[in-house]
């Protein structure tokens, strides 16, 4: 039976995500922005929470854990080993390559530092799905809060190397704002123009713009196109080091 994934909003623009294995009835929450909407989603589907997979230590991704543990005392909380002290109360601390079993499904841990020093993503290879937190966004990427931009760039390259068909679930609904920035730096990208129009139409209907895919991001996300000669030329940085182009773009986005 296919994995069930339910995505919904928490707080203002955070995504809550539930991953349910119908074979074993195991259910994992990806991050815990707010306990109340996660518990409501579980109740509506009559799912029992077995796991919480945390991507990083920021409050808007972990503050719902106490409420989830109060409702489901047996729940296992999984998170990045490098941020265990900041998160606290991890039942399983994971690092690069560590498997996380959700019922009959295996998630592989990918370390993607940059937004935070210990940020991780979870790749469900058998399901062609990855949960990437605040590292990669649709048409954008997270801010490099705790590491240099070059560190975040190399983390994005790791995610970009996943199979093209991989569905990407991100931590926030930021796509419309990201599209505006992307168009400002890559105005000649016809695929980007089409996608930006589709994103605007979805948001007018309050519809979500996620999941995205690696293939779509490689074609339209400026932060994943810094090695493309045509994009470099459009930026006036033909032949420049991709790390330098990425750092420039990230700083421009910070001010956009």
């Amino acid at each position: 039976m296919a994995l069930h994934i339910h995505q919904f909003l928490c707080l203002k623009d955070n995504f809550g995500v539930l991953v349910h294995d119908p074979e074993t009835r195991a259910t994992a929450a990806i991050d815990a922005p707010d306990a109340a909407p996660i518990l409501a989603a579980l109740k509506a589907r009559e799912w029992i929470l077995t796991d919480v997979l945390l991507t990083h230590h920021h409050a808007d991704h972990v503050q719902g854990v106490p409420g989830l543990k109060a409702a489901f005392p047996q729940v296992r909380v999984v998170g990045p080993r490098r941020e265990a002290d900041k998160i606290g109360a991890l039942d399983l601390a994971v690092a690069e390559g560590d498997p996380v079993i959700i019922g009959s499904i295996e998630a592989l841990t990918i370390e993607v530092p940059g937004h935070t020093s210990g940020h991780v993503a979870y790749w469900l290879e058998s399901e062609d799905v990855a949960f990437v937190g605040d590292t990669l966004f649709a048409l954008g990427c997270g801010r490099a809060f705790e590491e240099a931009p070059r560190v975040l760039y190399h983390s994005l390259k790791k995610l970009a190397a996943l199979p093209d068909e991989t569905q990407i679930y991100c931590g926030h609904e930021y796509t419309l704002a990201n599209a505006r920035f992307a168009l400002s730096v890559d105005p000649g990208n016809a695929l980007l123009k089409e996608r930006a129009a589709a994103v605007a139409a979805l948001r007018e209907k309050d519809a979500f713009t996620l999941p995205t895919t690696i293939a779509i991001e490689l074609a339209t996300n400026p932060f994943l196109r810094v090695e493309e000669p045509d994009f470099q030329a459009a930026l006036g940085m033909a032949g420049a080091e991709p790390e330098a182009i990425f750092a420039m773009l990230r700083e421009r986005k910070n001010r956009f």
Side-chain angles (χ1 to χ4, degrees), residues 217-229:
E217 295 309 311
L218 287 172
T220 58
N221 188 326
F223 294 100
L224 299 188
R225 284 179 31 83
V226 295
E227 295 182 8
E228 298 293 328

Side-chain angles (χ1 to χ4, degrees), residues 229-249:
D230 62 331
F231 185 43
Q232 292 183 355
L235 292 170
M237 299 184 71
E241 287 294 325
E243 287 182 3
I245 299 173
F246 177 83
M248 179 276 295
L249 286 174

Side-chain angles (χ1 to χ4, degrees), residues 74-97:
Q74 84 292 346
V75 75
R76 178 182 63 161
V77 180
V78 181
R81 184 177 302 162
R82 291 177 62 189
E83 298 187 356
D85 289 345
K86 292 181 179 179
I87 296 171
L90 289 181
D91 300 303
L92 177 62
V94 293
E96 180 73 24

Side-chain angles (χ1 to χ4, degrees), residues 21 34 42 54 71 116 163-164 175 209 238 251 253:
D21 175 22
D34 183 5
L42 289 163
L54 303 175
T116 66
D164 283 357
T175 316
T209 62
E251 182 56 30
K253 181 63 167 65

